[in-house]
Amino acid sequence: MTEETVITPYFLLGGEAALLNLVERFYFYMDTMPAAAKVRQIHAQDLTQAKSKLFKFLSGWLGGPNLFIQEFGHPRLRQRHLRFDIGEAEVDQWLLCMDSALTELRLDPALHKEIWRALTQLARHMANQA
């Protein structure tokens, strides 16, 4: 019996190192871009925990190790984010930061487009304010 290797977005992205870089750059932009001020305000002053959780979530979400599920159980993202007021502005600002970070990875255009489409859908699902 041969073991089949599944090529996932996590692998194509560059694995753990690339994902850690993406998360670092994402929060760099959130922390420094005036255009991301509203989304930054709903985060703690210290971003260490947010970075860790986003990395762990994205790892499994992109087809890598399910680190978030192993530590915290099912993500239930919308439920976990209900305590925050997330409207269109916050979603757009989150996406602005993610787009800036994702662009830095210089991915294959088709992979970039697919990850961006999925992230956009995910971010829009988090909105809980009109």
Side-chain angles (χ1 to χ4, degrees), residues 9-26:
Y10 176 86
F11 174 78
L12 295 171
L13 191 72
E16 181 179 346
L19 186 55
L20 283 168
N21 183 46
L22 175 68
V23 170
E24 279 296 321
R25 298 308 297 160
F26 168 77

Side-chain angles (χ1 to χ4, degrees), residues 17 32 42 68 83 88 91 100 104 106 108-109 115 119 124:
T32 61
I42 64 175
F68 189 95
R83 64 188 175 118
E88 187 175 336
V91 170
S100 298
E104 285 189 22
R106 301 177 193 252
D108 170 80
I115 291 174
L119 284 169
R124 299 234 179 272

Side-chain angles (χ1 to χ4, degrees), residues 93-110:
Q93 290 175 21
W94 190 94
L95 287 169
L96 173 66
C97 297
M98 187 55 76
D99 184 47
S100 298
L102 195 58
T103 298
E104 285 189 22
L105 294 183
R106 301 177 193 252
L107 301 173
D108 170 80

